[in-house]
Amino acid sequence: MPSWAEDRGRETLREAAARHLVALDLADVEPGDVLLFRWRDRLPAKHCAILTGPAQMIHAYDGHAVVETWIPPAWSRRIAYAFRFPAIRPDPAPASSPTPSPEPPS
């Protein structure tokens, strides 16, 4: 349904991203960050991409394949939000067995 975001009157895609990702200022984006695009002022963001370089992204058009492409000026003007994947915490180190006491000198 093309009007899924407008029907709710909310920023559905932004809300979902904010539940799972870390919000960023647009000036702080780096490769690997997620961009959300708004096609018109006052409409919700409805398209997302992953930034792969200073002006490149991976995304999919409706009914087309996933592509890596340059971000043209018409698209960069429509970036509404940016998010970063949260840092992955390493697994805690397994509890080690106590170190044996050194043997007294003979």
Side-chain angles (χ1 to χ4, degrees), residues 46-89:
K46 291 178 58 175
H47 190 78
C48 66
I50 297 175
L51 191 66
T52 58
Q56 291 177 280
M57 64 182 173
I58 295 174
H59 70 127
Y61 291 102
D62 188 27
H64 295 13
V66 175
V67 296
E68 182 174 18
T69 184
W70 292 100
I71 303 173
W75 280 67
S76 58
R77 287 192 302 268
R78 292 177 169 91
I79 299 171
Y81 304 102
F83 293 88
R84 182 164 292 152
F85 288 95
I88 297 174
R89 293 186 200 110

Side-chain angles (χ1 to χ4, degrees), residues 4-12 44:
W4 59 267
E6 291 90 339
D7 290 347
R8 299 187 99 195
R10 297 174 32 201
E11 287 280 1
T12 308

